[in-house]
PDB file of all heavy atoms in Angstrom:
ATOM      1  N   MET A  33       0.843  -1.214  -0.023  1.00 60.00           N
ATOM      2  CA  MET A  33      -0.008  -0.005  -0.011  1.00 60.00           C
ATOM      3  C   MET A  33       0.874   1.229   0.008  1.00 60.00           C
ATOM      4  O   MET A  33       1.834   1.316   0.753  1.00 60.00           O
ATOM      5  CB  MET A  33      -0.908   0.021   1.237  1.00 60.00           C
ATOM      6  CG  MET A  33      -1.908  -1.166   1.306  1.00 60.00           C
ATOM      7  SD  MET A  33      -2.984  -1.240  -0.104  1.00 60.00           S
ATOM      8  CE  MET A  33      -4.099   0.075   0.286  1.00 60.00           C
ATOM      9  N   ALA A  34       0.555   2.150  -0.847  1.00 77.00           N
ATOM     10  CA  ALA A  34       1.350   3.410  -0.930  1.00 77.00           C
ATOM     11  C   ALA A  34       0.945   4.311   0.252  1.00 77.00           C
ATOM     12  O   ALA A  34      -0.240   4.425   0.576  1.00 77.00           O
ATOM     13  CB  ALA A  34       1.126   4.114  -2.253  1.00 77.00           C
ATOM     14  N   ALA A  35       1.968   4.898   0.827  1.00 90.00           N
ATOM     15  CA  ALA A  35       1.757   5.872   1.953  1.00 90.00           C
ATOM     16  C   ALA A  35       1.664   7.286   1.349  1.00 90.00           C
ATOM     17  O   ALA A  35       2.511   7.634   0.509  1.00 90.00           O
ATOM     18  CB  ALA A  35       2.824   5.768   2.947  1.00 90.00           C
ATOM     19  N   GLU A  36       0.647   8.010   1.739  1.00 93.00           N
ATOM     20  CA  GLU A  36       0.525   9.395   1.313  1.00 93.00           C
ATOM     21  C   GLU A  36       1.012  10.260   2.493  1.00 93.00           C
ATOM     22  O   GLU A  36       0.422  10.280   3.553  1.00 93.00           O
ATOM     23  CB  GLU A  36      -0.883   9.708   0.917  1.00 93.00           C
ATOM     24  CG  GLU A  36      -1.296   8.906  -0.316  1.00 93.00           C
ATOM     25  CD  GLU A  36      -2.643   9.316  -0.895  1.00 93.00           C
ATOM     26  OE1 GLU A  36      -3.141  10.386  -0.524  1.00 93.00           O
ATOM     27  OE2 GLU A  36      -3.165   8.527  -1.655  1.00 93.00           O
ATOM     28  N   LEU A  37       2.087  10.980   2.266  1.00 93.00           N
ATOM     29  CA  LEU A  37       2.667  11.808   3.319  1.00 93.00           C
ATOM     30  C   LEU A  37       2.341  13.284   3.017  1.00 93.00           C
ATOM     31  O   LEU A  37       2.751  13.821   2.036  1.00 93.00           O
ATOM     32  CB  LEU A  37       4.231  11.638   3.311  1.00 93.00           C
ATOM     33  CG  LEU A  37       4.704  10.164   3.320  1.00 93.00           C
ATOM     34  CD1 LEU A  37       6.222  10.118   3.233  1.00 93.00           C
ATOM     35  CD2 LEU A  37       4.184   9.414   4.481  1.00 93.00           C
ATOM     36  N   ASP A  38       1.593  13.841   3.967  1.00 93.00           N
ATOM     37  CA  ASP A  38       1.107  15.197   3.777  1.00 93.00           C
ATOM     38  C   ASP A  38       2.041  16.251   4.377  1.00 93.00           C
ATOM     39  O   ASP A  38       2.445  16.124   5.515  1.00 93.00           O
ATOM     40  CB  ASP A  38      -0.288  15.361   4.436  1.00 93.00           C
ATOM     41  CG  ASP A  38      -1.324  14.469   3.800  1.00 93.00           C
ATOM     42  OD1 ASP A  38      -1.217  14.186   2.556  1.00 93.00           O
ATOM     43  OD2 ASP A  38      -2.237  13.983   4.434  1.00 93.00           O
ATOM     44  N   ASP A  39       2.342  17.255   3.610  1.00 93.00           N
ATOM     45  CA  ASP A  39       3.135  18.438   4.018  1.00 93.00           C
ATOM     46  C   ASP A  39       4.429  18.041   4.724  1.00 93.00           C
ATOM     47  O   ASP A  39       4.624  18.421   5.901  1.00 93.00           O
ATOM     48  CB  ASP A  39       2.242  19.334   4.877  1.00 93.00           C
ATOM     49  CG  ASP A  39       2.760  20.756   4.947  1.00 93.00           C
ATOM     50  OD1 ASP A  39       3.631  21.101   4.112  1.00 93.00           O
ATOM     51  OD2 ASP A  39       2.322  21.478   5.825  1.00 93.00           O
ATOM     52  N   VAL A  40       5.301  17.350   4.039  1.00 95.00           N
ATOM     53  CA  VAL A  40       6.577  16.947   4.649  1.00 95.00           C
ATOM     54  C   VAL A  40       7.488  18.141   4.790  1.00 95.00           C
ATOM     55  O   VAL A  40       7.338  19.134   4.101  1.00 95.00           O
ATOM     56  CB  VAL A  40       7.257  15.844   3.824  1.00 95.00           C
ATOM     57  CG1 VAL A  40       6.438  14.581   3.808  1.00 95.00           C
ATOM     58  CG2 VAL A  40       7.630  16.314   2.398  1.00 95.00           C
ATOM     59  N   LYS A  41       8.444  18.013   5.648  1.00 94.00           N
ATOM     60  CA  LYS A  41       9.456  19.048   5.875  1.00 94.00           C
ATOM     61  C   LYS A  41      10.710  18.653   5.119  1.00 94.00           C
ATOM     62  O   LYS A  41      11.105  17.552   5.071  1.00 94.00           O
ATOM     63  CB  LYS A  41       9.820  19.180   7.379  1.00 94.00           C
ATOM     64  CG  LYS A  41       8.687  19.615   8.278  1.00 94.00           C
ATOM     65  CD  LYS A  41       9.135  19.613   9.722  1.00 94.00           C
ATOM     66  CE  LYS A  41       7.969  19.838  10.658  1.00 94.00           C
ATOM     67  NZ  LYS A  41       8.389  19.755  12.052  1.00 94.00           N
ATOM     68  N   VAL A  42      11.387  19.670   4.539  1.00 95.00           N
ATOM     69  CA  VAL A  42      12.675  19.483   3.891  1.00 95.00           C
ATOM     70  C   VAL A  42      13.726  19.912   4.910  1.00 95.00           C
ATOM     71  O   VAL A  42      13.804  21.111   5.239  1.00 95.00           O
ATOM     72  CB  VAL A  42      12.805  20.213   2.564  1.00 95.00           C
ATOM     73  CG1 VAL A  42      14.238  20.140   2.026  1.00 95.00           C
ATOM     74  CG2 VAL A  42      11.776  19.705   1.579  1.00 95.00           C
ATOM     75  N   LEU A  43      14.581  19.010   5.357  1.00 95.00           N
ATOM     76  CA  LEU A  43      15.603  19.367   6.339  1.00 95.00           C
ATOM     77  C   LEU A  43      16.914  19.729   5.737  1.00 95.00           C
ATOM     78  O   LEU A  43      17.559  20.636   6.205  1.00 95.00           O
ATOM     79  CB  LEU A  43      15.843  18.172   7.316  1.00 95.00           C
ATOM     80  CG  LEU A  43      14.618  17.664   8.062  1.00 95.00           C
ATOM     81  CD1 LEU A  43      14.954  16.438   8.872  1.00 95.00           C
ATOM     82  CD2 LEU A  43      13.991  18.737   8.948  1.00 95.00           C
ATOM     83  N   LYS A  44      17.291  19.036   4.626  1.00 95.00           N
ATOM     84  CA  LYS A  44      18.618  19.246   4.053  1.00 95.00           C
ATOM     85  C   LYS A  44      18.584  18.759   2.612  1.00 95.00           C
ATOM     86  O   LYS A  44      17.991  17.744   2.302  1.00 95.00           O
ATOM     87  CB  LYS A  44      19.646  18.513   4.874  1.00 95.00           C
ATOM     88  CG  LYS A  44      21.061  18.675   4.426  1.00 95.00           C
ATOM     89  CD  LYS A  44      21.993  17.892   5.385  1.00 95.00           C
ATOM     90  CE  LYS A  44      23.403  17.842   4.885  1.00 95.00           C
ATOM     91  NZ  LYS A  44      24.235  17.009   5.769  1.00 95.00           N
ATOM     92  N   VAL A  45      19.293  19.455   1.722  1.00 96.00           N
ATOM     93  CA  VAL A  45      19.471  19.033   0.332  1.00 96.00           C
ATOM     94  C   VAL A  45      20.981  18.899   0.063  1.00 96.00           C
ATOM     95  O   VAL A  45      21.708  19.902   0.287  1.00 96.00           O
ATOM     96  CB  VAL A  45      18.851  20.056  -0.635  1.00 96.00           C
ATOM     97  CG1 VAL A  45      19.060  19.654  -2.052  1.00 96.00           C
ATOM     98  CG2 VAL A  45      17.339  20.174  -0.318  1.00 96.00           C
ATOM     99  N   SER A  46      21.414  17.728  -0.377  1.00 96.00           N
ATOM    100  CA  SER A  46      22.836  17.516  -0.638  1.00 96.00           C
ATOM    101  C   SER A  46      23.065  17.033  -2.060  1.00 96.00           C
ATOM    102  O   SER A  46      22.705  15.921  -2.448  1.00 96.00           O
ATOM    103  CB  SER A  46      23.373  16.412   0.283  1.00 96.00           C
ATOM    104  OG  SER A  46      23.140  16.746   1.630  1.00 96.00           O
ATOM    105  N   PRO A  47      23.608  17.935  -2.918  1.00 95.00           N
ATOM    106  CA  PRO A  47      23.860  17.602  -4.282  1.00 95.00           C
ATOM    107  C   PRO A  47      25.024  16.572  -4.418  1.00 95.00           C
ATOM    108  O   PRO A  47      25.986  16.684  -3.649  1.00 95.00           O
ATOM    109  CB  PRO A  47      24.178  18.885  -4.973  1.00 95.00           C
ATOM    110  CG  PRO A  47      24.542  19.825  -3.940  1.00 95.00           C
ATOM    111  CD  PRO A  47      23.951  19.306  -2.653  1.00 95.00           C
ATOM    112  N   GLY A  48      24.887  15.614  -5.331  1.00 92.00           N
ATOM    113  CA  GLY A  48      25.900  14.625  -5.597  1.00 92.00           C
ATOM    114  C   GLY A  48      26.215  14.633  -7.065  1.00 92.00           C
ATOM    115  O   GLY A  48      25.650  15.424  -7.871  1.00 92.00           O
ATOM    116  N   LYS A  49      27.053  13.710  -7.529  1.00 92.00           N
ATOM    117  CA  LYS A  49      27.403  13.658  -8.931  1.00 92.00           C
ATOM    118  C   LYS A  49      26.218  13.244  -9.850  1.00 92.00           C
ATOM    119  O   LYS A  49      25.995  13.855 -10.864  1.00 92.00           O
ATOM    120  CB  LYS A  49      28.559  12.638  -9.091  1.00 92.00           C
ATOM    121  CG  LYS A  49      29.056  12.578 -10.518  1.00 92.00           C
ATOM    122  CD  LYS A  49      30.221  11.574 -10.626  1.00 92.00           C
ATOM    123  CE  LYS A  49      30.632  11.387 -12.087  1.00 92.00           C
ATOM    124  NZ  LYS A  49      31.638  10.382 -12.287  1.00 92.00           N
ATOM    125  N   ASP A  50      25.510  12.241  -9.435  1.00 92.00           N
ATOM    126  CA  ASP A  50      24.443  11.727 -10.292  1.00 92.00           C
ATOM    127  C   ASP A  50      23.028  11.836  -9.636  1.00 92.00           C
ATOM    128  O   ASP A  50      22.060  11.332 -10.173  1.00 92.00           O
ATOM    129  CB  ASP A  50      24.663  10.271 -10.605  1.00 92.00           C
ATOM    130  CG  ASP A  50      25.896  10.059 -11.501  1.00 92.00           C
ATOM    131  OD1 ASP A  50      26.120  10.909 -12.349  1.00 92.00           O
ATOM    132  OD2 ASP A  50      26.632   9.071 -11.276  1.00 92.00           O
ATOM    133  N   SER A  51      22.990  12.541  -8.482  1.00 96.00           N
ATOM    134  CA  SER A  51      21.719  12.650  -7.827  1.00 96.00           C
ATOM    135  C   SER A  51      21.768  13.771  -6.786  1.00 96.00           C
ATOM    136  O   SER A  51      22.760  14.346  -6.547  1.00 96.00           O
ATOM    137  CB  SER A  51      21.375  11.319  -7.108  1.00 96.00           C
ATOM    138  OG  SER A  51      22.276  11.077  -6.054  1.00 96.00           O
ATOM    139  N   ILE A  52      20.568  14.053  -6.248  1.00 96.00           N
ATOM    140  CA  ILE A  52      20.469  15.033  -5.189  1.00 96.00           C
ATOM    141  C   ILE A  52      19.730  14.360  -4.061  1.00 96.00           C
ATOM    142  O   ILE A  52      18.600  13.858  -4.238  1.00 96.00           O
ATOM    143  CB  ILE A  52      19.716  16.270  -5.603  1.00 96.00           C
ATOM    144  CG1 ILE A  52      20.459  16.983  -6.749  1.00 96.00           C
ATOM    145  CG2 ILE A  52      19.404  17.214  -4.470  1.00 96.00           C
ATOM    146  CD1 ILE A  52      19.774  18.165  -7.391  1.00 96.00           C
ATOM    147  N   GLU A  53      20.387  14.265  -2.938  1.00 97.00           N
ATOM    148  CA  GLU A  53      19.765  13.619  -1.746  1.00 97.00           C
ATOM    149  C   GLU A  53      19.037  14.627  -0.922  1.00 97.00           C
ATOM    150  O   GLU A  53      19.578  15.692  -0.554  1.00 97.00           O
ATOM    151  CB  GLU A  53      20.867  12.970  -0.903  1.00 97.00           C
ATOM    152  CG  GLU A  53      20.399  12.173   0.233  1.00 97.00           C
ATOM    153  CD  GLU A  53      21.517  11.569   1.037  1.00 97.00           C
ATOM    154  OE1 GLU A  53      22.092  12.298   1.884  1.00 97.00           O
ATOM    155  OE2 GLU A  53      21.852  10.395   0.808  1.00 97.00           O
ATOM    156  N   VAL A  54      17.751  14.338  -0.611  1.00 97.00           N
ATOM    157  CA  VAL A  54      16.917  15.241   0.147  1.00 97.00           C
ATOM    158  C   VAL A  54      16.570  14.556   1.436  1.00 97.00           C
ATOM    159  O   VAL A  54      15.964  13.462   1.450  1.00 97.00           O
ATOM    160  CB  VAL A  54      15.659  15.589  -0.615  1.00 97.00           C
ATOM    161  CG1 VAL A  54      14.798  16.601   0.166  1.00 97.00           C
ATOM    162  CG2 VAL A  54      15.962  16.120  -2.027  1.00 97.00           C
ATOM    163  N   MET A  55      16.922  15.170   2.552  1.00 96.00           N
ATOM    164  CA  MET A  55      16.574  14.680   3.882  1.00 96.00           C
ATOM    165  C   MET A  55      15.240  15.324   4.268  1.00 96.00           C
ATOM    166  O   MET A  55      15.087  16.562   4.206  1.00 96.00           O
ATOM    167  CB  MET A  55      17.616  15.046   4.914  1.00 96.00           C
ATOM    168  CG  MET A  55      17.318  14.492   6.317  1.00 96.00           C
ATOM    169  SD  MET A  55      18.548  15.021   7.575  1.00 96.00           S
ATOM    170  CE  MET A  55      19.942  14.076   7.061  1.00 96.00           C
ATOM    171  N   MET A  56      14.232  14.472   4.607  1.00 95.00           N
ATOM    172  CA  MET A  56      12.895  14.947   4.922  1.00 95.00           C
ATOM    173  C   MET A  56      12.396  14.418   6.210  1.00 95.00           C
ATOM    174  O   MET A  56      12.966  13.463   6.753  1.00 95.00           O
ATOM    175  CB  MET A  56      11.921  14.569   3.788  1.00 95.00           C
ATOM    176  CG  MET A  56      12.284  15.098   2.444  1.00 95.00           C
ATOM    177  SD  MET A  56      11.140  14.540   1.194  1.00 95.00           S
ATOM    178  CE  MET A  56      11.454  15.677  -0.107  1.00 95.00           C
ATOM    179  N   GLN A  57      11.291  15.045   6.674  1.00 94.00           N
ATOM    180  CA  GLN A  57      10.704  14.604   7.946  1.00 94.00           C
ATOM    181  C   GLN A  57       9.170  14.744   7.847  1.00 94.00           C
ATOM    182  O   GLN A  57       8.692  15.656   7.146  1.00 94.00           O
ATOM    183  CB  GLN A  57      11.195  15.539   9.045  1.00 94.00           C
ATOM    184  CG  GLN A  57      10.769  15.176  10.419  1.00 94.00           C
ATOM    185  CD  GLN A  57      11.400  16.096  11.458  1.00 94.00           C
ATOM    186  OE1 GLN A  57      11.207  17.337  11.361  1.00 94.00           O
ATOM    187  NE2 GLN A  57      12.126  15.534  12.416  1.00 94.00           N
ATOM    188  N   LEU A  58       8.493  13.806   8.453  1.00 92.00           N
ATOM    189  CA  LEU A  58       7.021  13.870   8.512  1.00 92.00           C
ATOM    190  C   LEU A  58       6.600  15.117   9.341  1.00 92.00           C
ATOM    191  O   LEU A  58       7.251  15.436  10.304  1.00 92.00           O
ATOM    192  CB  LEU A  58       6.437  12.623   9.133  1.00 92.00           C
ATOM    193  CG  LEU A  58       6.716  11.286   8.419  1.00 92.00           C
ATOM    194  CD1 LEU A  58       6.213  10.156   9.308  1.00 92.00           C
ATOM    195  CD2 LEU A  58       6.054  11.294   7.053  1.00 92.00           C
ATOM    196  N   LYS A  59       5.569  15.746   8.871  1.00 87.00           N
ATOM    197  CA  LYS A  59       5.092  16.962   9.578  1.00 87.00           C
ATOM    198  C   LYS A  59       4.737  16.670  11.027  1.00 87.00           C
ATOM    199  O   LYS A  59       5.127  17.392  11.947  1.00 87.00           O
ATOM    200  CB  LYS A  59       3.833  17.499   8.896  1.00 87.00           C
ATOM    201  CG  LYS A  59       3.305  18.737   9.499  1.00 87.00           C
ATOM    202  CD  LYS A  59       2.131  19.327   8.761  1.00 87.00           C
ATOM    203  CE  LYS A  59       1.623  20.568   9.406  1.00 87.00           C
ATOM    204  NZ  LYS A  59       0.478  21.097   8.731  1.00 87.00           N
ATOM    205  N   GLU A  60       4.086  15.586  11.283  1.00 84.00           N
ATOM    206  CA  GLU A  60       3.688  15.192  12.654  1.00 84.00           C
ATOM    207  C   GLU A  60       4.611  14.117  13.227  1.00 84.00           C
ATOM    208  O   GLU A  60       4.267  13.515  14.238  1.00 84.00           O
ATOM    209  CB  GLU A  60       2.256  14.683  12.647  1.00 84.00           C
ATOM    210  CG  GLU A  60       1.274  15.692  12.092  1.00 84.00           C
ATOM    211  CD  GLU A  60       1.167  16.995  12.867  1.00 84.00           C
ATOM    212  OE1 GLU A  60       1.345  16.930  14.141  1.00 84.00           O
ATOM    213  OE2 GLU A  60       0.954  18.019  12.269  1.00 84.00           O
ATOM    214  N   GLY A  61       5.724  13.862  12.643  1.00 80.00           N
ATOM    215  CA  GLY A  61       6.633  12.822  13.114  1.00 80.00           C
ATOM    216  C   GLY A  61       7.512  13.278  14.256  1.00 80.00           C
ATOM    217  O   GLY A  61       7.583  14.485  14.594  1.00 80.00           O
ATOM    218  N   PRO A  62       8.253  12.284  14.858  1.00 82.00           N
ATOM    219  CA  PRO A  62       9.160  12.624  15.957  1.00 82.00           C
ATOM    220  C   PRO A  62      10.267  13.572  15.490  1.00 82.00           C
ATOM    221  O   PRO A  62      10.699  13.518  14.342  1.00 82.00           O
ATOM    222  CB  PRO A  62       9.773  11.270  16.332  1.00 82.00           C
ATOM    223  CG  PRO A  62       8.855  10.242  15.730  1.00 82.00           C
ATOM    224  CD  PRO A  62       8.206  10.920  14.558  1.00 82.00           C
ATOM    225  N   ALA A  63      10.741  14.463  16.336  1.00 81.00           N
ATOM    226  CA  ALA A  63      11.702  15.481  16.008  1.00 81.00           C
ATOM    227  C   ALA A  63      13.016  14.864  15.515  1.00 81.00           C
ATOM    228  O   ALA A  63      13.725  15.459  14.709  1.00 81.00           O
ATOM    229  CB  ALA A  63      11.964  16.394  17.184  1.00 81.00           C
ATOM    230  N   ASN A  64      13.374  13.737  16.008  1.00 86.00           N
ATOM    231  CA  ASN A  64      14.724  13.124  15.687  1.00 86.00           C
ATOM    232  C   ASN A  64      14.579  12.062  14.537  1.00 86.00           C
ATOM    233  O   ASN A  64      15.505  11.326  14.302  1.00 86.00           O
ATOM    234  CB  ASN A  64      15.350  12.485  16.894  1.00 86.00           C
ATOM    235  CG  ASN A  64      14.517  11.382  17.517  1.00 86.00           C
ATOM    236  OD1 ASN A  64      13.311  11.196  17.137  1.00 86.00           O
ATOM    237  ND2 ASN A  64      15.059  10.595  18.400  1.00 86.00           N
ATOM    238  N   SER A  65      13.470  12.053  13.862  1.00 90.00           N
ATOM    239  CA  SER A  65      13.216  11.061  12.818  1.00 90.00           C
ATOM    240  C   SER A  65      13.307  11.741  11.451  1.00 90.00           C
ATOM    241  O   SER A  65      12.879  12.852  11.293  1.00 90.00           O
ATOM    242  CB  SER A  65      11.832  10.429  13.003  1.00 90.00           C
ATOM    243  OG  SER A  65      11.525   9.577  11.945  1.00 90.00           O
ATOM    244  N   TYR A  66      13.888  11.030  10.496  1.00 94.00           N
ATOM    245  CA  TYR A  66      13.962  11.577   9.113  1.00 94.00           C
ATOM    246  C   TYR A  66      13.977  10.407   8.138  1.00 94.00           C
ATOM    247  O   TYR A  66      14.213   9.256   8.525  1.00 94.00           O
ATOM    248  CB  TYR A  66      15.213  12.454   8.953  1.00 94.00           C
ATOM    249  CG  TYR A  66      16.472  11.688   9.069  1.00 94.00           C
ATOM    250  CD1 TYR A  66      17.110  11.165   7.917  1.00 94.00           C
ATOM    251  CD2 TYR A  66      17.092  11.488  10.300  1.00 94.00           C
ATOM    252  CE1 TYR A  66      18.323  10.505   8.000  1.00 94.00           C
ATOM    253  CE2 TYR A  66      18.271  10.760  10.370  1.00 94.00           C
ATOM    254  CZ  TYR A  66      18.910  10.280   9.238  1.00 94.00           C
ATOM    255  OH  TYR A  66      20.049   9.583   9.330  1.00 94.00           O
ATOM    256  N   PHE A  67      13.809  10.727   6.840  1.00 95.00           N
ATOM    257  CA  PHE A  67      13.960   9.759   5.778  1.00 95.00           C
ATOM    258  C   PHE A  67      14.623  10.471   4.609  1.00 95.00           C
ATOM    259  O   PHE A  67      14.624  11.728   4.531  1.00 95.00           O
ATOM    260  CB  PHE A  67      12.624   9.098   5.384  1.00 95.00           C
ATOM    261  CG  PHE A  67      11.588  10.061   4.890  1.00 95.00           C
ATOM    262  CD1 PHE A  67      11.461  10.241   3.510  1.00 95.00           C
ATOM    263  CD2 PHE A  67      10.765  10.746   5.727  1.00 95.00           C
ATOM    264  CE1 PHE A  67      10.439  11.118   3.024  1.00 95.00           C
ATOM    265  CE2 PHE A  67       9.791  11.601   5.281  1.00 95.00           C
ATOM    266  CZ  PHE A  67       9.640  11.817   3.894  1.00 95.00           C
ATOM    267  N   LEU A  68      15.178   9.732   3.662  1.00 96.00           N
ATOM    268  CA  LEU A  68      15.943  10.273   2.598  1.00 96.00           C
ATOM    269  C   LEU A  68      15.265   9.910   1.286  1.00 96.00           C
ATOM    270  O   LEU A  68      14.842   8.780   1.051  1.00 96.00           O
ATOM    271  CB  LEU A  68      17.378   9.781   2.583  1.00 96.00           C
ATOM    272  CG  LEU A  68      18.159  10.059   3.832  1.00 96.00           C
ATOM    273  CD1 LEU A  68      19.416   9.217   3.904  1.00 96.00           C
ATOM    274  CD2 LEU A  68      18.496  11.510   3.931  1.00 96.00           C
ATOM    275  N   VAL A  69      15.205  10.898   0.318  1.00 97.00           N
ATOM    276  CA  VAL A  69      14.773  10.618  -1.015  1.00 97.00           C
ATOM    277  C   VAL A  69      15.897  11.099  -1.951  1.00 97.00           C
ATOM    278  O   VAL A  69      16.384  12.231  -1.866  1.00 97.00           O
ATOM    279  CB  VAL A  69      13.492  11.400  -1.347  1.00 97.00           C
ATOM    280  CG1 VAL A  69      13.093  11.207  -2.814  1.00 97.00           C
ATOM    281  CG2 VAL A  69      12.319  10.961  -0.461  1.00 97.00           C
ATOM    282  N   ASP A  70      16.330  10.188  -2.744  1.00 97.00           N
ATOM    283  CA  ASP A  70      17.414  10.439  -3.687  1.00 97.00           C
ATOM    284  C   ASP A  70      16.830  10.768  -5.079  1.00 97.00           C
ATOM    285  O   ASP A  70      16.250   9.872  -5.709  1.00 97.00           O
ATOM    286  CB  ASP A  70      18.343   9.212  -3.753  1.00 97.00           C
ATOM    287  CG  ASP A  70      19.752   9.551  -4.220  1.00 97.00           C
ATOM    288  OD1 ASP A  70      20.126  10.725  -4.173  1.00 97.00           O
ATOM    289  OD2 ASP A  70      20.435   8.659  -4.681  1.00 97.00           O
TER     290      ASP A  70
END
């Protein structure tokens, strides 16, 4: 099942050679929790 994540936060953007890594956080998630989208 696909998860629909509403109004995520962007914490950090890190450019790389072949991609850009984006560190994100759930709006209502724990403060020390994050996930990455490349």
Side-chain angles (χ1 to χ4, degrees):
M33 298 300 285
E36 295 188 17
L37 312 177
D38 297 328
D39 200 15
V40 297
K41 297 176 187 176
V42 174
L43 303 177
K44 182 178 173 185
V45 177
S46 304
K49 183 179 176 186
D50 294 323
S51 65
I52 296 175
E53 184 180 83
V54 184
M55 182 184 289
M56 299 179 163
Q57 186 177 57
L58 297 174
K59 182 178 180 181
E60 303 297 326
N64 61 348
S65 176
Y66 67 93
F67 61 97
L68 302 165
V69 176
D70 203 20

